[in-house]
Amino acid sequence: MPSLNSGAAYAYSMCDNCNHVVMCGMRAIVRDRIVTNVESWPGHPRGPLCAKGYALMQQLYHPKRLLHPYKRTTPKDAPDPGFARISWEEAYCLIAANLSRIRAEYGAHSVFFYCGGLKEPRPAVQRLAALYGSPNYGTESSTACMRASVFADWLTFGAPLLNRMPNADTRVMLLWGVNPAAAHHTYLPGLKAARQAGARCIVIDPRATATAALFADIHLRPRLGATAALAAGMARAALVEGWHDEAFCRAQIHGFEEYSRYVRDFTPELTESLTNVPAKDMLAAVRLYAKNRPRAFSSSAQSTTHDRNGIANHRGIGLFAALFGDIQPPRPDAPLSLPKGADLWANGGPQDFGLHKMLALGKEQRIDAKRVPAWADWAWEVNTSYLPEAIAAKEIRALVAFGLNVMIWPQSDEYAKAFGDLEFSMAVDYFHRPRSHRTLDLLLPAAVNFERRAPFGMFGRELYGRTALPPQGEAREDWRIALEIGGRLGYAEECFHGNPEAACNSILARWNLSYADLDNALAHGTGITLPPEYFQPDPPQQAVLRRSPAFATATGKIEAVSTHLEAHGLPGLPEFAPPCPTSPEYPFQLLSGTRRPHMTHSRTRQDTPWLFELDANPEVEINPVDAGRLNIKSREWVDVRSAFGALRACAHVTPEMPEGMVGMMHGWAAANANDLVPRVFDPASGYAPLKEIPVSVKPAAGPRPGNQYVSLKELP
Ligand SMILES: Nc1nc2c(c(=O)[nH]1)N[C@H]1C(S)=C(S)[C@@H](COP(=O)(O)OP(=O)(O)OC[C@H]3O[C@@H](n4cnc5c(=O)[nH]c(N)nc54)[C@H](O)[C@@H]3O)O[C@H]1N2
Ligand SMILES: Nc1nc2c(c(=O)[nH]1)N[C@H]1C(S)=C(S)[C@@H](COP(=O)(O)OP(=O)(O)OC[C@H]3O[C@@H](n4cnc5c(=O)[nH]c(N)nc54)[C@H](O)[C@@H]3O)O[C@H]1N2
Ligand SMILES: [Mo]
């Protein structure tokens, strides 16, 4: 550790508090092996740190952190698992005995390996699943996060092509369902620079977001579940006016005529009635986008796919953007581009390390193979929406989970209940989360930031090591746990004898580096930049990048009619399907999970008190007109109901929400937005309608709930 005057030293890591996606560089000041301060890492490509990064210190030293392995002592249906402390030895013996028995009796596929939003542990967990022999490896990304939008792009373009952030030349940018002001603050400087250089901006978002306030010339505020209609209406407007690139469309879009015929019905009047977007604003937005170039374009990671018609929505957006001829097939002589940012981990890590080829064996035994076949045929990660059905059908007998949050799923308790029917289940986490861990057999303590070496940081060609202080209590790095379980199952050699640093070295070796080189750079507070010729993407990535001169779809063109979806008996065109209708009983559309700058999913509540202070109650955001009519005031409690569930939360009256829509963050243990959402899924992706369910909101009858919003529980 590089030392400072006064006996202190610097330690380095990367923030994991935006679900391991943004990963800003962090530098800590350490005295007597205790982190006393956290700051942005000077010179690091990601940053600056936001409140979530600073608050990580509190997570590190939280008195309720999980510090030892625990085993349940009560029957599975008991409300309290009665977790009792055990040794790592006992924990590993239990795991190895159960996993070995289950594989012998029912086959390896009957164990589901799961990683939540956390991206860092994934390569090690993939390797474990592959060695064990189960194709049933899935994550939150293959259930509720950005992978469905990648799927939609792949169906349309053969690659995740859509997001083109602005640069100095950009004249117009279209931000469709993105709010970097809250979700990706590191994009803001680029947007600001483009704006200052004169770029115009269209924002499409139902809410009055900070992004719209900062950048939008035109802001369209559609109702939920109407994306495919808005995209079709916008496409029609461009086609009718002849603003599109006809020659490009005819040459490069498969099914262009069918698509043109389909969108023809979406007149400005019909589009307005379906989407609530005034026709004249919609037409002005299309004109602004069509008449300026170069164009930049960014579409949502997930909002438009959290819908029963999500894949069609997202494909509709992509096809609108494609009409102008901006999205070209890759050139045969194009240089291999480098993975941007920390995408190496966000996309699952190196495929050879994760043993993806082995993971793909026995694909027909994936739980999504028959239930979401269009997805299973494409995604290497299994969709987990139907886990309760797969457990009831005895296709799955055990669960090995890293970072399990049942509140990502609609009707979350059905998942927790189903896990109680397993023969064996375990999770690794920073904290005991009663709502998610209630039915598990084992709970294991994960080391957190500043206590782990793996994985190292990778941002484009820049590699960064991390300093690891000794973990608190008996916590262990996720990589170590996964690799040690592998060792107990007979794969000690393949699992680097449980040593995360040795595992990292096996990855770094492709660049003739080892962790010692990263440590040498850390001594100077820096990383290592690979020379361009040194960079070798994985072979499958190379194939995608090199596949040319056509689009990497079956037809070699942009597919307005998807051959993949048609082959699976689904509509090939991005057709509009009406959202669940509101009614006098349930008059509001529920927009759940909109990111807040200082909150991350179910975390950053009591586990980071500084952040919790900023937002200490589950809030329902409601427009002043609606609130006035219902006699609801800010900070008063309201009951929210859908046909599928109910919860009580605190009102926040704000013009940010449009009339007829209410907003709520998911992940509150006692006011879980996903209790309101039914288990019906987009047949193409298997994703849930997290953003279209009708609800009612009424002043709460009875007293304000007491201190029930506790997401952590102390262990004995
Ligand atoms: N209604 C609604 N539901 C949604 C969404 C929405 O917008 N609306 N969004 C969806 C999306 S996009 C996502 S990504 C998911 C979020 O889903 P998740 O990312 O799974 O949710 P988190 O709340 O971050 O829970 C992760 C758990 O893992 C633990 N954890 C975090 N990091 C680590 C680690 O490195 N190691 C270990 N062992 N444990 C760790 C945390 O303590 C926590 O208990 O929610 C989805 N669900
Ligand atoms: N602070 C913070 N940052 C995060 C996270 C976090 O929890 N906290 N989570 C990370 C993760 S896991 C993810 S997946 C990303 C998500 O990143 P984003 O998808 O960009 O974030 P959201 O805020 O969920 O959605 C963006 C906007 O879409 C709008 N929207 C919702 N539905 C629709 C619709 O039907 N049409 C249109 N046009 N707009 C719609 C919402 O109002 C919102 O303003 O953020 C990442 N960054
Ligand atoms: Mo996500």
Side-chain angles (χ1 to χ4, degrees):
M1 235 186 279
S3 59
L4 299 163
N5 302 333
S6 74
Y10 284 136
Y12 296 90
S13 191
M14 52 195 178
C15 178
D16 65 339
N17 236 347
C18 283
N19 247 24
H20 305 221
V21 277
V22 180
M23 306 195 117
C24 298
M26 299 198 294
R27 182 170 78 175
I29 296 173
V30 178
R31 283 173 209 278
D32 298 330
R33 299 190 157 198
I34 302 284
V35 173
T36 58
N37 201 4
V38 173
E39 57 195 19
S40 294
W41 181 342
H44 191 276
R46 288 287 169 92
L49 276 190
C50 72
K52 297 195 293 304
Y54 293 100
L56 274 174
M57 250 174 82
Q58 291 194 302
Q59 200 176 62
L60 181 58
Y61 298 118
H62 199 291
K64 290 186 181 173
R65 236 187 90 183
L66 202 51
L67 296 180
H68 308 279
Y70 288 89
K71 174 173 95 170
R72 86 172 297 119
T73 55
T74 62
K76 293 283 184 101
D77 52 0
D80 189 323
F83 279 126
R85 196 170 145 181
I86 56 171
S87 66
W88 275 104
E89 183 56 31
E90 189 182 344
Y92 284 147
C93 287
L94 272 169
I95 297 168
N98 276 289
L99 295 190
S100 301
R101 176 185 59 79
I102 288 169
R103 182 168 55 185
E105 280 181 33
Y106 314 111
H109 65 274
S110 5
V111 177
F112 202 98
F113 292 84
Y114 177 80
C115 262
L118 33 138
K119 315 291 183 292
E120 292 187 23
R122 289 185 184 177
V125 180
Q126 290 156 22
R127 197 173 173 90
L128 171 63
L131 288 167
Y132 179 76
S134 175
N136 279 311
Y137 163 81
T139 68
E140 126 292 1
S141 306
S142 55
T143 303
C145 195
M146 39 70 79
R147 206 76 88 223
S149 58
V150 177
F151 181 40
D153 288 353
W154 176 81
L155 290 168
T156 314
F157 302 106
L161 270 177
L162 271 182
N163 288 338
R164 287 143 181 252
M165 292 317 275
N167 58 33
D169 299 330
T170 301
R171 301 318 301 157
V172 63
M173 45 197 186
L174 172 53
L175 309 178
W176 195 318
V178 278
N179 182 23
H184 290 278
H185 70 282
T186 48
Y187 289 171
L188 289 176
L191 295 177
K192 197 170 153 207
R195 188 82 180 125
Q196 279 169 348
R200 312 290 298 281
C201 178
I202 302 151
V203 169
I204 306 185
D205 195 311
R207 298 181 314 122
T209 59
T211 303
L214 286 169
F215 304 115
D217 293 290
I218 298 178
H219 179 192
L220 308 183
R221 302 180 71 179
R223 79 163 57 106
L224 298 172
T227 303
L230 183 58
M234 289 171 67
R236 178 193 187 273
L239 293 170
V240 165
E241 296 290 344
W243 289 334
H244 64 299
D245 182 337
E246 177 81 13
F248 174 86
C249 292
R250 291 204 173 277
Q252 295 288 357
I253 301 186
H254 169 74
F256 177 59
E257 286 198 0
E258 245 177 293
Y259 171 70
S260 308
R261 265 199 308 280
Y262 176 72
V263 302
R264 204 173 294 156
D265 290 342
F266 289 81
T267 59
E269 299 71 34
L270 177 68
T271 307
E272 174 167 340
S273 75
L274 295 173
T275 64
N276 236 10
V277 172
K280 71 170 187 355
D281 295 350
M282 185 268 283
L283 293 170
V286 177
R287 167 186 282 276
L288 185 65
Y289 191 66
K291 292 287 178 187
N292 290 281
R293 61 191 304 188
R295 305 177 187 91
F297 183 91
S298 181
S299 62
S300 172
Q302 42 75 42
S303 352
T304 48
T305 59
H306 282 177
D307 189 307
R308 284 169 314 151
N309 198 34
I311 293 299
N313 286 340
H314 210 81
R315 279 180 26 78
I317 296 174
L319 285 168
F320 167 73
L323 293 177
F324 304 95
D326 299 339
I327 302 175
Q328 297 284 341
R331 292 200 333 264
D333 58 344
L336 285 181
S337 60
L338 303 172
K340 67 178 165 45
D343 284 359
L344 183 66
W345 308 123
N347 289 327
Q351 311 204 358
D352 52 354
F353 182 86
L355 304 175
H356 289 202
K357 278 197 188 128
M358 271 171 84
L359 206 50
L361 298 175
K363 257 177 103 166
E364 59 292 346
Q365 286 169 321
R366 283 170 54 150
I367 63 165
D368 56 356
K370 293 210 173 63
R371 298 182 175 99
V372 206
W375 173 274
D377 232 13
W378 167 76
W380 62 278
E381 287 174 315
V382 174
N383 182 296
T384 63
S385 293
Y386 292 98
L387 264 172
E389 284 78 4
I391 292 169
K394 307 273 182 219
E395 291 162 39
I396 295 298
R397 311 262 180 173
L399 173 72
V400 175
F402 287 71
L404 177 71
N405 168 19
V406 297
M407 291 181 287
I408 73 166
W409 288 292
Q411 300 299 310
S412 315
D413 284 339
E414 288 198 25
Y415 292 78
K417 223 164 97 226
F419 299 154
D421 295 332
L422 292 166
E423 293 183 21
F424 176 74
S425 57
M426 56 161 276
V428 187
D429 207 305
Y430 301 151
F431 291 95
H432 173 204
R433 314 273 191 200
R435 197 161 172 170
S436 295
H437 300 153
R438 177 169 62 85
T439 52
L440 303 185
D441 293 308
L442 271 189
L443 190 54
L444 304 178
V448 307
N449 246 306
F450 292 112
E451 294 175 345
R452 51 196 198 192
R453 297 277 272 172
F456 56 88
M458 172 136 195
F459 303 85
R461 282 192 284 126
E462 289 178 56
L463 305 183
Y464 290 83
R466 315 165 83 167
T467 323
L469 302 166
Q472 306 274 301
E474 294 183 290
R476 290 187 181 178
E477 288 190 54
D478 289 303
W479 280 52
R480 179 171 168 198
I481 297 170
L483 296 171
E484 284 180 339
I485 294 175
R488 294 297 180 117
L489 293 168
Y491 308 103
E493 200 71 37
E494 295 88 336
C495 289
F496 311 95
H497 301 279
N499 183 341
E501 205 171 309
C504 288
N505 281 338
S506 82
I507 298 172
L508 290 164
R510 74 195 63 201
W511 302 300
N512 286 336
L513 289 172
S514 75
Y515 220 117
D517 300 305
L518 299 181
D519 282 338
N520 288 339
L522 274 191
H524 302 98
T526 62
I528 291 177
T529 305
L530 297 172
E533 71 279 7
Y534 230 47
F535 186 81
Q536 281 299 326
D538 283 318
Q541 197 182 0
Q542 280 188 36
V544 171
L545 294 169
R546 286 256 187 249
R547 180 95 63 92
S548 53
F551 289 96
T553 54
T555 56
K557 296 185 177 188
I558 295 173
E559 294 198 350
V561 176
S562 163
T563 49
H564 184 86
L565 292 178
E566 277 190 329
H568 285 283
L570 295 164
L573 283 168
E575 289 173 15
F576 168 66
C580 297
T582 51
S583 63
E585 192 180 1
Y586 301 114
F588 295 102
Q589 286 192 307
L590 173 69
L591 170 46
S592 73
T594 292
R595 306 305 186 248
R596 298 161 86 105
H598 45 273
M599 233 191 220
T600 303
H601 307 292
S602 71
R603 307 196 262 157
T604 62
R605 308 296 208 271
Q606 278 101 325
D607 47 350
T608 38
W610 286 335
L611 301 177
F612 189 60
E613 258 177 43
L614 298 172
D615 236 331
N617 285 310
E619 279 187 351
V620 176
E621 296 153 327
I622 182 167
N623 180 278
V625 175
D626 291 326
R629 207 164 26 79
L630 294 168
N631 197 21
I632 289 169
K633 298 192 182 59
S634 277
R635 290 191 291 279
E636 287 180 357
W637 290 79
V638 290
D639 286 327
V640 186
R641 265 173 219 291
S642 75
F644 313 95
L647 57 83
R648 181 165 291 185
C650 195
H652 175 197
V653 180
T654 166
E656 215 174 282
M657 292 311 292
E659 281 177 59
M661 199 180 290
V662 292
M664 236 203 120
M665 184 67 184
H666 61 294
W668 288 98
N672 171 21
N674 284 336
D675 290 348
L676 304 169
V677 179
R679 293 190 65 239
V680 289
F681 303 105
D682 180 347
S685 66
Y687 275 44
L690 305 178
K691 306 220 161 50
E692 62 159 302
I693 296 306
V695 296
S696 65
V697 181
K698 298 200 172 118
R704 175 209 140 113
N707 182 23
Q708 57 174 296
Y709 297 102
V710 177
S711 65
L712 304 177
K713 188 161 182 255
E714 210 147 13
L715 290 161

